[in-house]
Amino acid sequence: MVLPTDPPLPTLGMRADLLPATMAVVAAADEEARDPAVLGRAWALPSIGEWRSRDRIKTVSVALVLCMNIGVGPPDAPKPANAAKLHAWTDPFKDTPPKALEAIAKALQAQYEVLQVRARYRLALDPAVEDTKKLCVSLRRSAKDERVLFHYNGHGVPKPTPSGELWVFNKTYTQYIPVSVYDLQTWLGAPAIFVWDCSAAGNILLAFNQFVAQRDAEQQQQLDALLQQHLAPSSVGTAPAPGTTPGSTANGAAAAAAGPESPAPPPPRSPPVPSTFAECIQLAACGPGETLPWNADLPADVFTACLTTPIQMALRWFLLTHPHARARVTLEQAAAIPGRLGDRRTPLGELNWIFTAVTDTIAWSVLPRDMFRRLFRQDLLVAGLFRNFLLAQRVLKSYGCNPLTSPALPETDKHPLWAAWDMVVDLCIDQFPDLLAPGSKVEFIHSTFFAEQLTAFDIWLSQGALADRPPLQLPIVLQVLLSQHHRLRALIILSRFLDLGPWAVSEALQVGIFPYVLKLLQSPAPELKPILVFIWTRILAVDPASCQADLMKDNGFTYFIHVLSPSANLAAIQDVSEHRAMCAFILSTLCHGFRDGQAACLHHSVLPLCQLYLGDPDDLLRQWACICIAQVCHQYSDAILAALEDGMHARVAACLADTVTEVRAGAVLALGTFLQLASPQLQPVSLEMVTALLPTLADASPLVRGEAVIALACFLSHHRAHFEALADQMIADRAAAAAAATSPTEPGKPAAPTASSGGNSGKGTPTKSRLAALVSVPASSIFDSVTSAVWKLLLMASVDPDRAVAVSAQRLVDAVLAKAPIYPPCSLLFEKRRRYFAEPQIQPAEHRQPGSVRDLERRWTFERNRSLLVRSRAPCLAAVAADAPVITSTAAAVEPAEPARPAAPAAWQQAVTFPVASPSTTSTVAPAAGPVRAIRVHAFEDVVYVANGTNVGVWEIGGLTHPPPGSSPSLPPPPLDAPTRLWSLDCSSGSDGAPRIPVTAVELIHEDAYSLLAAASADGTVRVWRDVVPYRSAYRKQHGDGAARDAAQDAYADDAEPALDRELGNWFTRSLYVAPLRKPAAGTRRSVRSKAAPPQADSLVVPSIATSWRAAPDLTAPRVPARRTGSASVADTPAVVLKWISSLGALAVAGPARTVRLWDLERDQPAHTVHTRSAAAVTGITSDALARPHVLVAGGADGAVRVLDVRLRPTDALVHTLREHAAWCVGVDVGQHLPPLSAVAPEVAAAAAADGGEVNDPMQSAAAGLVVSASAAGDVRVWDMRHPARSVLAVDAFANNASLSAFALHPYAPLAAAGSATQQCKLFDITPPPPAAQGQQQQRSGGKSVLHTITHYDGFLGQRLGKVTALAFHPLLPTLAMGAGTAAAPVVTLYRTSNSGF
């Protein structure tokens, strides 16, 4: 049985009290299910619009009506003696009138047959009214719903009347008989195309359109009348119910209330219907009241000549308007142009080829896309007539006539591309005398038109491809593809254009590129394979559904199977793996929801081919090999059986441990597809696959977890009864546990064991992983154990940090609890991953190109960060410049006799204080309040991140990191701006029934570049937010707001960063730093040289969650701790802690668990997992990210400080255990190493090297490499890892064993801060003792080491501090952020000194 997917959403209707206590009730309803944020559809590509002509109408019949009456001129327009006389390039006076008329008709038919040879042609020569009617009726009867062409030559009859009457003859040719256009519409019907070749032809066109509007109005009135007639019986003739009066009915009451003067409701109207003659097209030779030219050098039917013989007419008109060409070539020579239209190697064929390209390009550049498709891509005859009409418009406008069309076309006679056509004609005509000379053997010199146009396209791609507007040469590429000589170059240029993005693919499809690249799949040329694969990949990435049937025609898909085959000769392809990945994507698209494509791929052995590449070194190929297997097998039992028989599931399961997230997601998708087929014989294989899928629910990537839920849903639906029994047992166990907890026990009788206690009565609950406890459930068989594990993991997935994963799992759990049908959700992995192929690949992205906005921004940011780093170490660099001794890290070889102290123990002053209570919200789930648990100050931006309760507040404080323009480093820093809350990031699950888990740690990732913010909750969940830095702050604070600061801005820029402004220029620092960070309007692209004003706060990009996962799944303590009483601080509660290690690209996560995990955020996998070999909770984790990133230092709840080396085996990673604290270790940190002097200040290093002296690196702090820890007992200890036996410094921070509640160490200065529950904060000097005294521990009292004590807020009668709950230093500057207060009124205060550096 193969399961269906994508069902209608079932009604949940479940009560919250039936769900497990640990499971949140995700707000279940159709409204939430349709929320794009819940479904995660931000990845969806924009629609490219319709590019196919769905209703293709062909012209199958042609009526040529010639009213010439040769020899007799019309009475209203007597012709001069030397008037034009040629019709269809035939002289009507060289033979008798009947024969001449017949010759003209045959010549005209031959000219039309060049445009459409398969049409049925009917001739009407000087017809009567009855003959005209009979011809029209018979043509419509034979054509049915196809198009009919009606060509009218009225050169021998009077001009059409303004009322829309054209003229024919009576049977005896003695009178002119008028025929109304209205009658002609009735006889010929629609669709039709009309060619009016006569003077004043615009009268017919205008009258035709008036009659069409009249017919549409009459048809609408008839439909309205029918609708009223249909509704009349239901509203009249109905008697009131017995016992009631008309006034007592609701309608009667409403009518009485309305009063006699209330207007009557409008009569019902039917919806507008499409016009019957909407597909009718008209071409008129001139406007109303205009007369066609009588120039003897032109044909009399000049309009028809332009429409049917454009090359001959174009050459003649060129000679008439260019005397220099007429001097060498005669009109007769131009008419005798050698060659054939179908042979592009001859002069006539080449000119026709170029003319087609020119007119196509002109029409495409001026017409709307839907009109261009209708007129130039739907029917060959219509396309040819409209191409040639552009020539007629150019020619006739030069003689004072204005040809008209319906639908109307814009004027194109002045289009610049006509100049290129004139040059081609001029060069070609110049060769005619030599080519037409008797016995001439001169070879024709071909035009360079197409080569020049391709060069122009290439230049556009290289220089100006920044706007979403294609170049003029795009339609010309289509014609170039017909030439084998230029085909390869044209395809390369086309592929580069398609690489610009979906908008470029849309333009190429609109212009008609698809039939050409489809036909090229039959080409065996090996050099075209990589280009065609690339082009087809781009097309299918943007429009995957409409091209499947086309690939099946003539087995076009086998072209890509051949490239995918390992035996194919792919010497012409440089990156074979990438092109094979593209072929796998193309075949996946062919099978996506298309059973014929699945059957064809199964027949051509696509599954074994994909299996070969599951272990390929290219991760893109591995990813699409898995997805292709899934697409071939999706709901296709034959393919699933073939895959399982080949043991493909084992190979796919091996990919679940891949280092690339997308490969793991593709493998999960493939295994889930295999699980769609169920039978007793396949149960062992199904259990094997499910067992392999279980660990993926703990993957760090929401993409993998979401696919795992979908895959397990198939297994769940096949064994629905078993899971319903498990759910019933779970509910019964919970009810029994609740009853046992509420019922009193008899004296001396122990309580009965329940399911929650696991039967461990008298032994207590063992300390172990909760996840392991859920999965490792005793069962009677393998099937029972697997199903039990699946059920419990689905319960955990229903409270997944990722909302989309939680919603999918919640629906499955609710369906099981409600015993409702289970429909596995449909995977969207294919739709998400195809976006990769729609993005630029050949050209580097804009932000990677040298000199681009993003490149300049990166350079600007680097120089700014470097300048700030140098400024923070200014005193040390000044000492080096003066040859003064400098204190460096403890690893230095030369040290002074006495320890140096930080610069001038200047008083720390309160800079700003602000409350951080969670803002009010309109959400139904209010964020939970709480004390400040963590603070993080951005090193290079004026931003502070504050975690309290379930929120992380992002606060902007102007002047915090970047001083305002005009300030000097030698003066005290100016006051800070008022704090502004930019965003409040809610880190809760957002469900009404979910527990409110507080945020316990925040950490910045890639702080020196594009910053991300990681927030850890007490339940082990880590959420990573993007767009958390307001990039506008740097611009605004560096350069000021308004013209008043321009002078100060320039002075500051010249004084602070002269090298930066000289290199990048003020134009960038003023505007372009901000411009790329504003949200562009839909459908627009950013220009490199565009100037923009600084965006306002509302233009900032709102932060969003990049990823979320349970980073600490093995927590052993309760995830929601109970409140403690007495003097217990926030730090005493178990918390999850974070540390970003930039050198490893990993995030260290620890908490109340026995392990410390390092997560590789690029791979979404744990890079290292080391054991602490202790049951105590980890209260702090840190590392020297630059010097020793592999060494972790962890503080424990037992007071021990453990040193772990992640390079060792997980169980042997513990290197040292430092035990001197007698109480809870509140915090631990390591003094960080800075980059060397030569990297940050090369000019100072060069000066020192020139003097020949060896100077210690002044960039390093005296505390660099030292481990500093603090315990709740109030003591702070400093450790040197070279002498780990005992601490080198011990400081009594607080007397009387006061409860130390918060601790912070400055990363690059020997400065520490400690706060207590007794409402005070102290700053300490932790400079280590000299090397000679390091063998002995130095004990300092609090008074000797304290630099500053804070007990009250500044100001007259300043209030006393609240309980200090969090501390954090600015990473580079002497600035301290302190969080204090209660859970209801948390407050953050910033303190700083007058010193600008350390």
PDB file of all heavy atoms in Angstrom, residues 18 187 238 263 295 334 396 418 472 545 553 564 578 607 610 614 624 643 777 823 886 916 933 1061 1325 1376:
ATOM      1  N   LEU A  18      -5.402  15.911  27.527  1.00  0.00           N
ATOM      2  CA  LEU A  18      -5.066  14.559  27.101  1.00  0.00           C
ATOM      3  C   LEU A  18      -3.616  14.441  26.630  1.00  0.00           C
ATOM      4  O   LEU A  18      -3.155  13.351  26.362  1.00  0.00           O
ATOM      5  CB  LEU A  18      -5.990  14.116  25.955  1.00  0.00           C
ATOM      6  CG  LEU A  18      -7.477  13.962  26.316  1.00  0.00           C
ATOM      7  CD1 LEU A  18      -8.255  13.518  25.099  1.00  0.00           C
ATOM      8  CD2 LEU A  18      -7.649  12.969  27.452  1.00  0.00           C
ATOM      9  N   TRP A 187     -20.637  36.967 -41.341  1.00  0.00           N
ATOM     10  CA  TRP A 187     -20.347  35.863 -42.262  1.00  0.00           C
ATOM     11  C   TRP A 187     -19.068  35.106 -41.870  1.00  0.00           C
ATOM     12  O   TRP A 187     -19.055  33.881 -41.872  1.00  0.00           O
ATOM     13  CB  TRP A 187     -20.173  36.409 -43.686  1.00  0.00           C
ATOM     14  CG  TRP A 187     -21.382  37.106 -44.218  1.00  0.00           C
ATOM     15  CD1 TRP A 187     -22.665  36.958 -43.821  1.00  0.00           C
ATOM     16  CD2 TRP A 187     -21.373  38.092 -45.249  1.00  0.00           C
ATOM     17  NE1 TRP A 187     -23.495  37.771 -44.533  1.00  0.00           N
ATOM     18  CE2 TRP A 187     -22.734  38.490 -45.436  1.00  0.00           C
ATOM     19  CE3 TRP A 187     -20.419  38.686 -46.062  1.00  0.00           C
ATOM     20  CZ2 TRP A 187     -23.110  39.430 -46.389  1.00  0.00           C
ATOM     21  CZ3 TRP A 187     -20.791  39.611 -47.013  1.00  0.00           C
ATOM     22  CH2 TRP A 187     -22.123  39.994 -47.163  1.00  0.00           C
ATOM     23  N   THR A 238     -44.573  33.946  -4.421  1.00  0.00           N
ATOM     24  CA  THR A 238     -44.497  33.098  -3.238  1.00  0.00           C
ATOM     25  C   THR A 238     -45.401  33.672  -2.174  1.00  0.00           C
ATOM     26  O   THR A 238     -45.305  34.854  -1.827  1.00  0.00           O
ATOM     27  CB  THR A 238     -43.052  33.026  -2.726  1.00  0.00           C
ATOM     28  OG1 THR A 238     -42.597  34.357  -2.492  1.00  0.00           O
ATOM     29  CG2 THR A 238     -42.157  32.341  -3.738  1.00  0.00           C
ATOM     30  N   PRO A 263     -33.832  53.740  -2.392  1.00  0.00           N
ATOM     31  CA  PRO A 263     -33.619  53.279  -3.768  1.00  0.00           C
ATOM     32  C   PRO A 263     -33.753  51.772  -3.879  1.00  0.00           C
ATOM     33  O   PRO A 263     -33.420  51.026  -2.960  1.00  0.00           O
ATOM     34  CB  PRO A 263     -32.183  53.734  -4.068  1.00  0.00           C
ATOM     35  CG  PRO A 263     -31.523  53.835  -2.727  1.00  0.00           C
ATOM     36  CD  PRO A 263     -32.601  54.268  -1.779  1.00  0.00           C
ATOM     37  N   ASN A 295       3.694  56.810 -56.213  1.00  0.00           N
ATOM     38  CA  ASN A 295       5.048  56.877 -56.741  1.00  0.00           C
ATOM     39  C   ASN A 295       5.260  55.741 -57.725  1.00  0.00           C
ATOM     40  O   ASN A 295       5.022  54.562 -57.429  1.00  0.00           O
ATOM     41  CB  ASN A 295       6.048  56.785 -55.596  1.00  0.00           C
ATOM     42  CG  ASN A 295       7.466  57.095 -56.036  1.00  0.00           C
ATOM     43  OD1 ASN A 295       7.833  56.934 -57.195  1.00  0.00           O
ATOM     44  ND2 ASN A 295       8.271  57.554 -55.085  1.00  0.00           N
ATOM     45  N   ALA A 334      18.256  45.225 -57.707  1.00  0.00           N
ATOM     46  CA  ALA A 334      17.785  44.933 -56.359  1.00  0.00           C
ATOM     47  C   ALA A 334      16.669  43.908 -56.376  1.00  0.00           C
ATOM     48  O   ALA A 334      16.553  43.082 -55.459  1.00  0.00           O
ATOM     49  CB  ALA A 334      17.307  46.215 -55.683  1.00  0.00           C
ATOM     50  N   LEU A 396       5.715  53.476 -45.281  1.00  0.00           N
ATOM     51  CA  LEU A 396       4.559  54.312 -45.579  1.00  0.00           C
ATOM     52  C   LEU A 396       4.578  55.621 -44.797  1.00  0.00           C
ATOM     53  O   LEU A 396       4.042  56.626 -45.280  1.00  0.00           O
ATOM     54  CB  LEU A 396       3.282  53.528 -45.285  1.00  0.00           C
ATOM     55  CG  LEU A 396       2.982  52.404 -46.285  1.00  0.00           C
ATOM     56  CD1 LEU A 396       1.801  51.567 -45.823  1.00  0.00           C
ATOM     57  CD2 LEU A 396       2.721  52.967 -47.665  1.00  0.00           C
ATOM     58  N   TRP A 418      16.887  50.053 -36.542  1.00  0.00           N
ATOM     59  CA  TRP A 418      16.764  50.202 -37.995  1.00  0.00           C
ATOM     60  C   TRP A 418      18.075  50.688 -38.596  1.00  0.00           C
ATOM     61  O   TRP A 418      18.372  50.397 -39.764  1.00  0.00           O
ATOM     62  CB  TRP A 418      15.644  51.163 -38.343  1.00  0.00           C
ATOM     63  CG  TRP A 418      14.250  50.596 -38.219  1.00  0.00           C
ATOM     64  CD1 TRP A 418      13.259  51.042 -37.414  1.00  0.00           C
ATOM     65  CD2 TRP A 418      13.714  49.485 -38.941  1.00  0.00           C
ATOM     66  NE1 TRP A 418      12.125  50.277 -37.566  1.00  0.00           N
ATOM     67  CE2 TRP A 418      12.374  49.299 -38.512  1.00  0.00           C
ATOM     68  CE3 TRP A 418      14.222  48.610 -39.893  1.00  0.00           C
ATOM     69  CZ2 TRP A 418      11.546  48.310 -39.000  1.00  0.00           C
ATOM     70  CZ3 TRP A 418      13.407  47.616 -40.388  1.00  0.00           C
ATOM     71  CH2 TRP A 418      12.087  47.463 -39.951  1.00  0.00           C
ATOM     72  N   LEU A 472      19.045  44.644 -25.423  1.00  0.00           N
ATOM     73  CA  LEU A 472      18.289  44.648 -26.674  1.00  0.00           C
ATOM     74  C   LEU A 472      18.602  43.431 -27.527  1.00  0.00           C
ATOM     75  O   LEU A 472      17.796  43.032 -28.382  1.00  0.00           O
ATOM     76  CB  LEU A 472      18.616  45.934 -27.443  1.00  0.00           C
ATOM     77  CG  LEU A 472      17.697  46.332 -28.598  1.00  0.00           C
ATOM     78  CD1 LEU A 472      16.310  46.630 -28.074  1.00  0.00           C
ATOM     79  CD2 LEU A 472      18.265  47.543 -29.326  1.00  0.00           C
ATOM     80  N   ALA A 545       7.371  22.718 -13.550  1.00  0.00           N
ATOM     81  CA  ALA A 545       6.199  21.889 -13.838  1.00  0.00           C
ATOM     82  C   ALA A 545       5.825  21.859 -15.306  1.00  0.00           C
ATOM     83  O   ALA A 545       5.428  20.813 -15.822  1.00  0.00           O
ATOM     84  CB  ALA A 545       5.004  22.375 -13.009  1.00  0.00           C
ATOM     85  N   LYS A 553       9.096  14.337 -24.946  1.00  0.00           N
ATOM     86  CA  LYS A 553       9.002  14.257 -26.404  1.00  0.00           C
ATOM     87  C   LYS A 553      10.351  13.858 -26.982  1.00  0.00           C
ATOM     88  O   LYS A 553      11.388  14.406 -26.628  1.00  0.00           O
ATOM     89  CB  LYS A 553       8.566  15.608 -26.982  1.00  0.00           C
ATOM     90  CG  LYS A 553       7.160  16.031 -26.580  1.00  0.00           C
ATOM     91  CD  LYS A 553       6.832  17.407 -27.149  1.00  0.00           C
ATOM     92  CE  LYS A 553       5.448  17.855 -26.724  1.00  0.00           C
ATOM     93  NZ  LYS A 553       5.133  19.220 -27.227  1.00  0.00           N
ATOM     94  N   LEU A 564      24.759  11.856 -16.977  1.00  0.00           N
ATOM     95  CA  LEU A 564      24.832  11.297 -15.630  1.00  0.00           C
ATOM     96  C   LEU A 564      25.564   9.962 -15.604  1.00  0.00           C
ATOM     97  O   LEU A 564      26.114   9.567 -14.570  1.00  0.00           O
ATOM     98  CB  LEU A 564      23.415  11.130 -15.076  1.00  0.00           C
ATOM     99  CG  LEU A 564      23.267  10.783 -13.597  1.00  0.00           C
ATOM    100  CD1 LEU A 564      23.841  11.889 -12.728  1.00  0.00           C
ATOM    101  CD2 LEU A 564      21.808  10.542 -13.255  1.00  0.00           C
ATOM    102  N   GLU A 578      29.625  18.646 -10.732  1.00  0.00           N
ATOM    103  CA  GLU A 578      28.584  19.673 -10.657  1.00  0.00           C
ATOM    104  C   GLU A 578      27.572  19.505 -11.772  1.00  0.00           C
ATOM    105  O   GLU A 578      26.362  19.654 -11.564  1.00  0.00           O
ATOM    106  CB  GLU A 578      29.215  21.061 -10.719  1.00  0.00           C
ATOM    107  CG  GLU A 578      28.191  22.178 -10.562  1.00  0.00           C
ATOM    108  CD  GLU A 578      28.829  23.550 -10.551  1.00  0.00           C
ATOM    109  OE1 GLU A 578      30.069  23.627 -10.706  1.00  0.00           O
ATOM    110  OE2 GLU A 578      28.098  24.541 -10.401  1.00  0.00           O
ATOM    111  N   LEU A 607      17.838   4.966 -11.099  1.00  0.00           N
ATOM    112  CA  LEU A 607      18.102   4.642  -9.699  1.00  0.00           C
ATOM    113  C   LEU A 607      19.505   4.062  -9.495  1.00  0.00           C
ATOM    114  O   LEU A 607      20.234   4.519  -8.595  1.00  0.00           O
ATOM    115  CB  LEU A 607      17.032   3.684  -9.178  1.00  0.00           C
ATOM    116  CG  LEU A 607      15.630   4.267  -8.980  1.00  0.00           C
ATOM    117  CD1 LEU A 607      14.668   3.181  -8.512  1.00  0.00           C
ATOM    118  CD2 LEU A 607      15.664   5.409  -7.982  1.00  0.00           C
ATOM    119  N   CYS A 610      22.049   6.950  -9.756  1.00  0.00           N
ATOM    120  CA  CYS A 610      22.099   7.814  -8.578  1.00  0.00           C
ATOM    121  C   CYS A 610      22.772   7.123  -7.404  1.00  0.00           C
ATOM    122  O   CYS A 610      23.477   7.766  -6.609  1.00  0.00           O
ATOM    123  CB  CYS A 610      20.686   8.247  -8.188  1.00  0.00           C
ATOM    124  SG  CYS A 610      19.903   9.359  -9.386  1.00  0.00           S
ATOM    125  N   LEU A 614      26.200   8.291  -4.397  1.00  0.00           N
ATOM    126  CA  LEU A 614      25.904   8.583  -3.001  1.00  0.00           C
ATOM    127  C   LEU A 614      27.165   8.794  -2.182  1.00  0.00           C
ATOM    128  O   LEU A 614      27.114   9.407  -1.116  1.00  0.00           O
ATOM    129  CB  LEU A 614      25.069   7.451  -2.393  1.00  0.00           C
ATOM    130  CG  LEU A 614      23.644   7.307  -2.939  1.00  0.00           C
ATOM    131  CD1 LEU A 614      22.950   6.121  -2.291  1.00  0.00           C
ATOM    132  CD2 LEU A 614      22.849   8.581  -2.713  1.00  0.00           C
ATOM    133  N   TRP A 624      21.721  15.727  -4.539  1.00  0.00           N
ATOM    134  CA  TRP A 624      20.705  15.552  -5.581  1.00  0.00           C
ATOM    135  C   TRP A 624      20.569  14.103  -6.013  1.00  0.00           C
ATOM    136  O   TRP A 624      19.540  13.721  -6.581  1.00  0.00           O
ATOM    137  CB  TRP A 624      21.004  16.461  -6.760  1.00  0.00           C
ATOM    138  CG  TRP A 624      20.558  17.848  -6.461  1.00  0.00           C
ATOM    139  CD1 TRP A 624      21.316  18.915  -6.109  1.00  0.00           C
ATOM    140  CD2 TRP A 624      19.199  18.297  -6.399  1.00  0.00           C
ATOM    141  NE1 TRP A 624      20.535  20.000  -5.862  1.00  0.00           N
ATOM    142  CE2 TRP A 624      19.234  19.661  -6.035  1.00  0.00           C
ATOM    143  CE3 TRP A 624      17.971  17.694  -6.633  1.00  0.00           C
ATOM    144  CZ2 TRP A 624      18.063  20.413  -5.896  1.00  0.00           C
ATOM    145  CZ3 TRP A 624      16.814  18.435  -6.496  1.00  0.00           C
ATOM    146  CH2 TRP A 624      16.862  19.780  -6.130  1.00  0.00           C
ATOM    147  N   ALA A 643      14.224  -0.369  -5.772  1.00  0.00           N
ATOM    148  CA  ALA A 643      15.278   0.203  -4.933  1.00  0.00           C
ATOM    149  C   ALA A 643      15.588  -0.682  -3.735  1.00  0.00           C
ATOM    150  O   ALA A 643      16.757  -0.895  -3.383  1.00  0.00           O
ATOM    151  CB  ALA A 643      14.870   1.607  -4.475  1.00  0.00           C
ATOM    152  N   VAL A 777      12.993   2.163  26.171  1.00  0.00           N
ATOM    153  CA  VAL A 777      11.837   1.631  26.881  1.00  0.00           C
ATOM    154  C   VAL A 777      11.830   0.116  26.729  1.00  0.00           C
ATOM    155  O   VAL A 777      11.957  -0.396  25.610  1.00  0.00           O
ATOM    156  CB  VAL A 777      10.529   2.237  26.316  1.00  0.00           C
ATOM    157  CG1 VAL A 777       9.328   1.645  27.003  1.00  0.00           C
ATOM    158  CG2 VAL A 777      10.551   3.746  26.482  1.00  0.00           C
ATOM    159  N   TYR A 823      -2.626  11.429   7.546  1.00  0.00           N
ATOM    160  CA  TYR A 823      -2.116  11.726   6.216  1.00  0.00           C
ATOM    161  C   TYR A 823      -0.710  12.289   6.351  1.00  0.00           C
ATOM    162  O   TYR A 823      -0.529  13.380   6.890  1.00  0.00           O
ATOM    163  CB  TYR A 823      -3.008  12.741   5.501  1.00  0.00           C
ATOM    164  CG  TYR A 823      -4.417  12.268   5.264  1.00  0.00           C
ATOM    165  CD1 TYR A 823      -5.436  12.593   6.153  1.00  0.00           C
ATOM    166  CD2 TYR A 823      -4.728  11.491   4.160  1.00  0.00           C
ATOM    167  CE1 TYR A 823      -6.727  12.164   5.943  1.00  0.00           C
ATOM    168  CE2 TYR A 823      -6.018  11.053   3.947  1.00  0.00           C
ATOM    169  CZ  TYR A 823      -7.016  11.396   4.831  1.00  0.00           C
ATOM    170  OH  TYR A 823      -8.291  10.971   4.610  1.00  0.00           O
ATOM    171  N   VAL A 886      56.926  47.330  28.593  1.00  0.00           N
ATOM    172  CA  VAL A 886      55.504  47.044  28.480  1.00  0.00           C
ATOM    173  C   VAL A 886      55.217  45.698  29.107  1.00  0.00           C
ATOM    174  O   VAL A 886      55.945  44.734  28.907  1.00  0.00           O
ATOM    175  CB  VAL A 886      55.058  47.041  27.003  1.00  0.00           C
ATOM    176  CG1 VAL A 886      53.590  46.699  26.907  1.00  0.00           C
ATOM    177  CG2 VAL A 886      55.328  48.403  26.382  1.00  0.00           C
ATOM    178  N   VAL A 916      14.654  47.196  31.569  1.00  0.00           N
ATOM    179  CA  VAL A 916      14.616  46.265  30.435  1.00  0.00           C
ATOM    180  C   VAL A 916      13.424  45.327  30.530  1.00  0.00           C
ATOM    181  O   VAL A 916      13.456  44.209  30.014  1.00  0.00           O
ATOM    182  CB  VAL A 916      15.917  45.446  30.342  1.00  0.00           C
ATOM    183  CG1 VAL A 916      17.083  46.339  30.005  1.00  0.00           C
ATOM    184  CG2 VAL A 916      16.173  44.688  31.636  1.00  0.00           C
ATOM    185  N   ARG A 933      19.429  37.701  33.105  1.00  0.00           N
ATOM    186  CA  ARG A 933      20.241  36.495  33.246  1.00  0.00           C
ATOM    187  C   ARG A 933      21.559  36.579  32.489  1.00  0.00           C
ATOM    188  O   ARG A 933      22.513  35.890  32.812  1.00  0.00           O
ATOM    189  CB  ARG A 933      19.464  35.266  32.745  1.00  0.00           C
ATOM    190  CG  ARG A 933      18.182  34.973  33.501  1.00  0.00           C
ATOM    191  CD  ARG A 933      18.478  34.499  34.915  1.00  0.00           C
ATOM    192  NE  ARG A 933      19.183  33.247  34.921  1.00  0.00           N
ATOM    193  CZ  ARG A 933      18.619  32.044  35.069  1.00  0.00           C
ATOM    194  NH1 ARG A 933      17.311  31.968  35.214  1.00  0.00           N
ATOM    195  NH2 ARG A 933      19.339  30.953  35.091  1.00  0.00           N
ATOM    196  N   ASP A1061      39.430  56.594   4.701  1.00  0.00           N
ATOM    197  CA  ASP A1061      38.726  57.500   3.810  1.00  0.00           C
ATOM    198  C   ASP A1061      39.508  57.747   2.534  1.00  0.00           C
ATOM    199  O   ASP A1061      38.919  58.005   1.493  1.00  0.00           O
ATOM    200  CB  ASP A1061      38.440  58.832   4.507  1.00  0.00           C
ATOM    201  CG  ASP A1061      37.201  58.744   5.388  1.00  0.00           C
ATOM    202  OD1 ASP A1061      36.365  57.881   5.080  1.00  0.00           O
ATOM    203  OD2 ASP A1061      37.097  59.495   6.358  1.00  0.00           O
ATOM    204  N   ASP A1325      41.509  44.315  40.392  1.00  0.00           N
ATOM    205  CA  ASP A1325      42.724  44.174  39.615  1.00  0.00           C
ATOM    206  C   ASP A1325      43.229  42.747  39.811  1.00  0.00           C
ATOM    207  O   ASP A1325      43.495  42.321  40.939  1.00  0.00           O
ATOM    208  CB  ASP A1325      43.768  45.185  40.099  1.00  0.00           C
ATOM    209  CG  ASP A1325      45.133  44.902  39.502  1.00  0.00           C
ATOM    210  OD1 ASP A1325      45.190  44.300  38.413  1.00  0.00           O
ATOM    211  OD2 ASP A1325      46.147  45.271  40.145  1.00  0.00           O
ATOM    212  N   LEU A1376      31.534  48.677  31.604  1.00  0.00           N
ATOM    213  CA  LEU A1376      30.918  47.554  32.302  1.00  0.00           C
ATOM    214  C   LEU A1376      29.407  47.692  32.228  1.00  0.00           C
ATOM    215  O   LEU A1376      28.859  48.770  32.487  1.00  0.00           O
ATOM    216  CB  LEU A1376      31.356  47.517  33.768  1.00  0.00           C
ATOM    217  CG  LEU A1376      30.665  46.477  34.668  1.00  0.00           C
ATOM    218  CD1 LEU A1376      31.051  45.065  34.244  1.00  0.00           C
ATOM    219  CD2 LEU A1376      31.001  46.735  36.138  1.00  0.00           C
TER     220      LEU A1376
END
